[in-house]
Amino acid sequence: MTDKIETDVVIIGAGPVGLFAVFELGLLDIKCHLIDILPKVGGQCAELYPEKPIYDIPGFPMVTGQGLVDNLMAQIEPFHPTFHLSEMVESLESLGTPEAPLFRVKTAENGTTFLCKAVIIAAGGGSFQPKKPPIENIEAYEGTSVFYAVRRMEMFRDKRVLIIGGGDSALDWTVNLQPITERLTLLHRRDAFRAAPHTVEKMRSLVSAGDMDLHLGQVTALVGDAPVLEGAVIRKDDGSTFKVDCDVILPFFGLTMKLGPIADWGLNLHENLIPVDTEKFETNVPGIFAIGDINTYPGKLKLILSGFHEGALAAQRVHRYVYPDKRLTFQYTTSSTSLQKKLGVAA
Protein backbone atom coordinates (compact mmCIF):
# COMPACT_ATOMS: atom_id res chain seq x y z
CA MET A 1 0.00 0.00 0.00
CA THR A 2 1.43 3.37 -0.98
CA ASP A 3 1.31 6.49 1.17
CA LYS A 4 -0.88 9.36 0.00
CA ILE A 5 0.07 12.81 1.23
CA GLU A 6 -1.81 16.06 0.69
CA THR A 7 0.22 19.24 1.01
CA ASP A 8 0.37 22.72 -0.45
CA VAL A 9 3.67 22.41 -2.31
CA VAL A 10 6.12 19.68 -3.26
CA ILE A 11 9.72 20.85 -3.63
CA ILE A 12 11.92 18.59 -5.74
CA GLY A 13 15.46 19.02 -4.49
CA ALA A 14 16.70 19.66 -0.94
CA GLY A 15 19.79 21.70 -1.75
CA PRO A 16 20.32 25.27 -0.47
CA VAL A 17 17.86 26.82 -2.93
CA GLY A 18 15.15 24.30 -2.13
CA LEU A 19 15.72 24.81 1.59
CA PHE A 20 15.42 28.58 1.33
CA ALA A 21 12.19 28.17 -0.65
CA VAL A 22 10.81 26.44 2.47
CA PHE A 23 11.52 29.61 4.43
CA GLU A 24 9.83 31.92 1.92
CA LEU A 25 6.80 29.63 1.68
CA GLY A 26 6.62 29.25 5.44
CA LEU A 27 6.36 33.01 5.93
CA LEU A 28 3.23 32.82 3.75
CA ASP A 29 1.69 29.91 5.74
CA ILE A 30 2.37 27.48 2.90
CA LYS A 31 3.24 23.91 3.89
CA CYS A 32 5.60 21.78 1.86
CA HIS A 33 7.28 18.41 1.49
CA LEU A 34 10.73 18.03 -0.06
CA ILE A 35 11.94 15.09 -2.15
CA ASP A 36 15.60 14.44 -2.89
CA ILE A 37 17.43 11.55 -4.53
CA LEU A 38 20.37 11.98 -2.14
CA PRO A 39 20.34 10.35 1.33
CA LYS A 40 20.75 13.67 3.13
CA VAL A 41 19.74 17.31 2.73
CA GLY A 42 22.09 19.88 1.24
CA GLY A 43 22.41 18.88 -2.41
CA GLN A 44 25.82 19.33 -4.00
CA CYS A 45 26.97 21.57 -1.11
CA ALA A 46 26.68 18.69 1.36
CA GLU A 47 27.48 15.86 -1.02
CA LEU A 48 30.44 17.20 -3.01
CA TYR A 49 32.10 19.96 -0.98
CA PRO A 50 30.86 20.05 2.64
CA GLU A 51 34.19 21.44 3.89
CA LYS A 52 34.92 23.71 0.94
CA PRO A 53 34.78 27.46 1.67
CA ILE A 54 32.11 29.54 -0.11
CA TYR A 55 32.79 33.27 -0.30
CA ASP A 56 29.81 34.77 -2.18
CA ILE A 57 26.90 34.20 0.22
CA PRO A 58 25.65 37.63 1.39
CA GLY A 59 26.45 38.29 5.04
CA PHE A 60 29.00 35.47 5.28
CA PRO A 61 32.60 36.41 4.45
CA MET A 62 33.20 32.66 4.40
CA VAL A 63 31.00 29.67 5.06
CA THR A 64 31.54 25.99 4.25
CA GLY A 65 29.08 24.04 2.15
CA GLN A 66 27.88 22.09 5.17
CA GLY A 67 27.86 25.23 7.32
CA LEU A 68 25.49 26.92 4.86
CA VAL A 69 23.21 23.88 4.86
CA ASP A 70 23.21 23.75 8.67
CA ASN A 71 22.26 27.44 8.87
CA LEU A 72 19.46 27.01 6.34
CA MET A 73 18.11 24.02 8.28
CA ALA A 74 18.09 26.11 11.48
CA GLN A 75 16.34 28.93 9.63
CA ILE A 76 13.47 26.73 8.40
CA GLU A 77 13.05 24.74 11.61
CA PRO A 78 9.99 26.81 12.72
CA PHE A 79 8.09 25.59 9.63
CA HIS A 80 8.68 21.84 10.23
CA PRO A 81 9.09 20.72 6.61
CA THR A 82 8.94 17.01 5.84
CA PHE A 83 11.82 15.42 3.92
CA HIS A 84 11.64 12.34 1.71
CA LEU A 85 15.28 11.41 1.08
CA SER A 86 16.78 8.72 -1.16
CA GLU A 87 13.67 9.05 -3.30
CA MET A 88 13.26 10.15 -6.91
CA VAL A 89 10.13 11.61 -8.46
CA GLU A 90 8.95 9.10 -11.04
CA SER A 91 5.91 10.91 -12.40
CA LEU A 92 4.21 14.30 -12.24
CA GLU A 93 0.62 14.51 -13.45
CA SER A 94 -1.49 17.64 -13.82
CA LEU A 95 -5.06 17.22 -12.55
CA GLY A 96 -6.22 20.83 -12.36
CA THR A 97 -6.61 23.85 -14.59
CA PRO A 98 -4.26 26.78 -15.37
CA GLU A 99 -6.27 28.92 -12.95
CA ALA A 100 -6.43 26.27 -10.20
CA PRO A 101 -3.50 23.88 -10.60
CA LEU A 102 -3.48 20.50 -8.90
CA PHE A 103 -0.75 17.90 -9.25
CA ARG A 104 -0.20 14.26 -8.45
CA VAL A 105 3.47 13.55 -7.75
CA LYS A 106 4.68 9.98 -7.30
CA THR A 107 8.09 8.70 -6.21
CA ALA A 108 9.76 5.62 -7.64
CA GLU A 109 11.34 4.01 -4.60
CA ASN A 110 8.52 3.95 -2.04
CA GLY A 111 5.63 4.71 -4.33
CA THR A 112 4.61 7.68 -2.21
CA THR A 113 1.92 9.82 -3.85
CA PHE A 114 1.52 13.54 -3.18
CA LEU A 115 -1.40 15.80 -4.07
CA CYS A 116 -0.38 19.46 -4.15
CA LYS A 117 -1.31 22.82 -5.64
CA ALA A 118 2.17 23.74 -6.82
CA VAL A 119 5.50 22.08 -7.57
CA ILE A 120 8.86 23.80 -7.23
CA ILE A 121 11.75 22.11 -9.05
CA ALA A 122 14.99 22.98 -7.27
CA ALA A 123 16.93 19.97 -8.48
CA GLY A 124 20.22 21.68 -9.39
CA GLY A 125 21.25 20.17 -12.70
CA GLY A 126 19.14 17.08 -12.13
CA SER A 127 20.81 13.96 -10.86
CA PHE A 128 24.58 14.15 -11.14
CA GLN A 129 27.50 11.77 -11.24
CA PRO A 130 31.22 12.38 -11.58
CA LYS A 131 32.95 12.00 -14.92
CA LYS A 132 35.55 9.27 -14.55
CA PRO A 133 38.96 9.26 -16.23
CA PRO A 134 39.51 6.47 -18.78
CA ILE A 135 41.92 4.46 -16.61
CA GLU A 136 41.77 0.67 -16.71
CA ASN A 137 40.53 -0.99 -13.51
CA ILE A 138 39.99 2.34 -11.71
CA GLU A 139 36.71 1.01 -10.26
CA ALA A 140 38.64 -1.48 -8.13
CA TYR A 141 40.24 1.40 -6.22
CA GLU A 142 37.14 3.56 -5.79
CA GLY A 143 36.09 4.24 -2.23
CA THR A 144 39.47 3.22 -0.81
CA SER A 145 42.14 5.00 -2.87
CA VAL A 146 40.19 6.86 -5.56
CA PHE A 147 37.61 9.50 -4.62
CA TYR A 148 35.61 11.90 -6.79
CA ALA A 149 34.70 14.30 -3.97
CA VAL A 150 36.21 15.50 -0.70
CA ARG A 151 33.70 14.95 2.09
CA ARG A 152 36.15 14.97 5.01
CA MET A 153 39.55 16.57 4.65
CA GLU A 154 40.92 14.50 7.53
CA MET A 155 40.71 11.38 5.34
CA PHE A 156 43.72 12.71 3.46
CA ARG A 157 45.91 13.83 6.33
CA ASP A 158 49.50 12.56 6.02
CA LYS A 159 48.68 10.83 2.71
CA ARG A 160 50.45 11.15 -0.63
CA VAL A 161 47.70 12.68 -2.75
CA LEU A 162 47.52 13.00 -6.53
CA ILE A 163 44.90 15.47 -7.79
CA ILE A 164 44.00 15.33 -11.48
CA GLY A 165 42.34 18.26 -13.23
CA GLY A 166 42.67 21.92 -14.13
CA GLY A 167 39.37 23.49 -13.08
CA ASP A 168 38.18 25.18 -9.91
CA SER A 169 37.57 21.97 -7.94
CA ALA A 170 41.04 20.60 -8.69
CA LEU A 171 42.82 23.85 -7.85
CA ASP A 172 40.68 24.66 -4.80
CA TRP A 173 41.36 21.28 -3.24
CA THR A 174 45.03 21.50 -4.19
CA VAL A 175 45.56 24.62 -2.07
CA ASN A 176 43.21 23.44 0.72
CA LEU A 177 44.61 19.93 1.11
CA GLN A 178 48.29 20.71 0.57
CA PRO A 179 48.94 21.76 4.22
CA ILE A 180 47.71 18.45 5.67
CA THR A 181 49.10 15.93 3.17
CA GLU A 182 52.45 14.19 3.32
CA ARG A 183 52.96 15.22 -0.30
CA LEU A 184 50.54 16.62 -2.84
CA THR A 185 50.90 16.41 -6.60
CA LEU A 186 48.72 18.16 -9.17
CA LEU A 187 48.48 16.65 -12.64
CA HIS A 188 46.97 18.37 -15.67
CA ARG A 189 47.30 17.63 -19.35
CA ARG A 190 48.60 21.12 -20.12
CA ASP A 191 50.09 24.11 -18.34
CA ALA A 192 46.91 26.19 -18.53
CA PHE A 193 44.13 26.18 -15.96
CA ARG A 194 40.44 27.10 -15.95
CA ALA A 195 40.36 27.99 -12.26
CA ALA A 196 40.24 31.37 -10.55
CA PRO A 197 43.49 33.27 -11.22
CA HIS A 198 44.30 33.84 -7.55
CA THR A 199 43.97 30.10 -6.85
CA VAL A 200 46.25 29.26 -9.77
CA GLU A 201 48.75 31.81 -8.47
CA LYS A 202 48.64 30.24 -5.01
CA MET A 203 49.26 26.80 -6.50
CA ARG A 204 52.24 28.05 -8.51
CA SER A 205 53.74 29.70 -5.44
CA LEU A 206 53.50 26.39 -3.56
CA VAL A 207 55.26 24.65 -6.46
CA SER A 208 57.98 27.33 -6.57
CA ALA A 209 58.56 26.93 -2.83
CA GLY A 210 58.94 23.18 -3.23
CA ASP A 211 55.86 22.49 -1.09
CA MET A 212 54.06 20.48 -3.77
CA ASP A 213 54.59 19.07 -7.26
CA LEU A 214 53.03 19.96 -10.61
CA HIS A 215 53.24 17.57 -13.56
CA LEU A 216 51.85 17.77 -17.09
CA GLY A 217 50.48 14.62 -18.66
CA GLN A 218 47.84 11.94 -18.20
CA VAL A 219 47.50 8.85 -16.03
CA THR A 220 47.80 5.67 -18.08
CA ALA A 221 47.83 3.04 -15.33
CA LEU A 222 47.48 2.55 -11.59
CA VAL A 223 50.09 0.72 -9.54
CA GLY A 224 49.32 -1.47 -6.53
CA ASP A 225 47.11 -4.43 -5.63
CA ALA A 226 43.55 -3.10 -5.60
CA PRO A 227 42.07 -1.58 -3.59
CA VAL A 228 45.39 -0.38 -2.12
CA LEU A 229 47.09 2.18 -4.35
CA GLU A 230 50.85 2.65 -4.52
CA GLY A 231 51.24 5.01 -7.45
CA ALA A 232 50.22 6.12 -10.91
CA VAL A 233 52.00 5.92 -14.25
CA ILE A 234 52.02 9.27 -16.08
CA ARG A 235 52.55 9.71 -19.81
CA LYS A 236 53.94 13.04 -21.00
CA ASP A 237 53.23 14.65 -24.38
CA ASP A 238 56.51 13.34 -25.78
CA GLY A 239 55.41 9.75 -25.04
CA SER A 240 57.77 9.17 -22.13
CA THR A 241 56.38 7.85 -18.85
CA PHE A 242 57.22 8.14 -15.17
CA LYS A 243 55.67 7.08 -11.89
CA VAL A 244 54.18 9.28 -9.16
CA ASP A 245 54.01 7.61 -5.73
CA CYS A 246 50.60 8.20 -4.17
CA ASP A 247 48.15 6.66 -1.73
CA VAL A 248 45.11 8.54 -2.99
CA ILE A 249 43.92 9.90 -6.33
CA LEU A 250 41.32 12.65 -6.61
CA PRO A 251 40.17 13.04 -10.24
CA PHE A 252 38.17 16.23 -10.82
CA PHE A 253 36.82 15.93 -14.35
CA GLY A 254 33.48 17.61 -13.67
CA LEU A 255 29.99 16.20 -13.39
CA THR A 256 27.63 14.58 -15.85
CA MET A 257 24.16 16.03 -15.36
CA LYS A 258 21.07 13.98 -16.14
CA LEU A 259 17.54 15.33 -15.95
CA GLY A 260 16.09 11.86 -15.51
CA PRO A 261 12.26 11.74 -15.35
CA ILE A 262 12.04 15.56 -15.42
CA ALA A 263 12.49 15.31 -19.19
CA ASP A 264 9.13 13.52 -19.44
CA TRP A 265 6.99 16.00 -17.50
CA GLY A 266 5.79 18.09 -20.42
CA LEU A 267 8.00 21.06 -19.62
CA ASN A 268 9.72 23.10 -22.29
CA LEU A 269 13.45 22.35 -22.18
CA HIS A 270 16.47 24.20 -23.54
CA GLU A 271 19.77 22.33 -23.49
CA ASN A 272 18.56 20.24 -20.52
CA LEU A 273 17.50 23.35 -18.60
CA ILE A 274 13.97 24.58 -17.87
CA PRO A 275 13.03 28.00 -19.27
CA VAL A 276 11.13 30.25 -16.84
CA ASP A 277 9.88 33.81 -16.74
CA THR A 278 11.68 36.33 -14.53
CA GLU A 279 8.60 37.63 -12.73
CA LYS A 280 7.73 34.46 -10.85
CA PHE A 281 10.08 31.78 -12.25
CA GLU A 282 7.17 29.72 -13.48
CA THR A 283 7.54 27.19 -16.30
CA ASN A 284 5.27 26.79 -19.31
CA VAL A 285 2.98 24.70 -17.06
CA PRO A 286 1.05 26.92 -14.60
CA GLY A 287 1.79 25.86 -11.03
CA ILE A 288 5.19 24.32 -11.81
CA PHE A 289 8.19 26.49 -10.96
CA ALA A 290 11.93 26.00 -11.48
CA ILE A 291 14.53 27.75 -9.34
CA GLY A 292 18.29 27.43 -9.01
CA ASP A 293 20.72 25.89 -11.47
CA ILE A 294 18.08 23.86 -13.31
CA ASN A 295 16.34 26.91 -14.80
CA THR A 296 17.35 29.26 -17.57
CA TYR A 297 16.38 32.79 -18.61
CA PRO A 298 18.18 35.77 -20.18
CA GLY A 299 20.97 36.93 -17.88
CA LYS A 300 20.84 33.82 -15.68
CA LEU A 301 23.73 33.46 -13.21
CA LYS A 302 24.31 30.05 -11.64
CA LEU A 303 24.84 31.38 -8.13
CA ILE A 304 23.23 30.23 -4.90
CA LEU A 305 22.21 33.81 -4.12
CA SER A 306 20.36 34.00 -7.46
CA GLY A 307 18.44 30.87 -6.52
CA PHE A 308 17.44 32.47 -3.21
CA HIS A 309 15.98 35.45 -5.10
CA GLU A 310 14.13 33.14 -7.49
CA GLY A 311 12.63 31.18 -4.60
CA ALA A 312 11.34 34.35 -2.94
CA LEU A 313 9.50 35.50 -6.06
CA ALA A 314 8.17 32.02 -6.83
CA ALA A 315 6.66 31.84 -3.33
CA GLN A 316 4.65 35.02 -3.98
CA ARG A 317 2.99 33.41 -6.99
CA VAL A 318 2.48 30.09 -5.23
CA HIS A 319 0.47 31.94 -2.57
CA ARG A 320 -2.12 32.84 -5.22
CA TYR A 321 -2.61 29.17 -6.09
CA VAL A 322 -2.74 27.98 -2.47
CA TYR A 323 -4.93 30.84 -1.20
CA PRO A 324 -6.84 32.10 -4.28
CA ASP A 325 -9.31 34.13 -2.18
CA LYS A 326 -6.75 35.62 0.20
CA ARG A 327 -5.10 38.95 -0.53
CA LEU A 328 -1.32 38.85 -0.11
CA THR A 329 0.13 41.75 1.84
CA PHE A 330 3.88 42.09 1.65
CA GLN A 331 5.57 42.28 5.05
CA TYR A 332 9.10 42.60 6.39
CA THR A 333 10.45 40.20 9.01
CA THR A 334 12.14 43.14 10.74
CA SER A 335 8.85 44.90 11.49
CA SER A 336 6.01 42.38 11.18
CA THR A 337 5.01 40.88 14.55
CA SER A 338 2.97 38.19 12.76
CA LEU A 339 6.01 37.02 10.81
CA GLN A 340 8.14 37.15 13.96
CA LYS A 341 5.61 34.94 15.75
CA LYS A 342 5.88 32.39 12.93
CA LEU A 343 9.65 32.43 13.40
CA GLY A 344 9.35 32.15 17.17
CA VAL A 345 11.22 35.39 17.82
CA ALA A 346 8.39 37.74 18.83
CA ALA A 347 8.73 39.26 22.29
Side-chain angles (χ1 to χ4, degrees), residues 5 25 40 66 91 96 119 123 125 129 133 137 142 147 158 170 178 187 216 234 236 240 267 282 292-293 301 328 338:
I5 298 170
L25 294 167
K40 59 183 178 182
Q66 188 62 54
S91 62
V119 174
Q129 59 192 40
N137 202 35
E142 291 175 353
F147 303 89
D158 300 325
Q178 184 274 331
L187 174 70
L216 305 180
I234 312 298
K236 298 164 66 174
S240 62
L267 303 174
E282 198 166 17
D293 286 358
L301 290 177
L328 177 59
S338 64

Side-chain angles (χ1 to χ4, degrees), residues 23-24 27 75 79 330-341 343 345:
F23 179 80
E24 291 295 326
L27 292 177
Q75 188 175 34
F79 304 119
F330 183 75
Q331 303 177 77
Y332 294 100
T333 57
T334 52
S335 56
S336 169
T337 55
S338 64
L339 293 183
Q340 291 169 7
K341 285 179 181 178
L343 296 172
V345 296

Side-chain angles (χ1 to χ4, degrees), residues 190-206:
R190 64 180 186 275
D191 193 21
F193 299 89
R194 304 179 310 281
H198 73 275
T199 312
V200 176
E201 183 180 344
K202 173 66 174 175
M203 177 273 295
R204 292 196 186 279
S205 68
L206 290 170

Side-chain angles (χ1 to χ4, degrees), residues 1 10 16 19 36 43 98 122 138 145 158 165 168 177 226 232 246 298 302 323-324 331 334-335 337 339:
M1 181 177 179
V10 166
L19 295 179
D36 201 295
I138 192 171
S145 304
D158 300 325
D168 282 314
L177 288 175
C246 56
K302 288 193 174 185
Y323 299 110
Q331 303 177 77
T334 52
S335 56
T337 55
L339 293 183

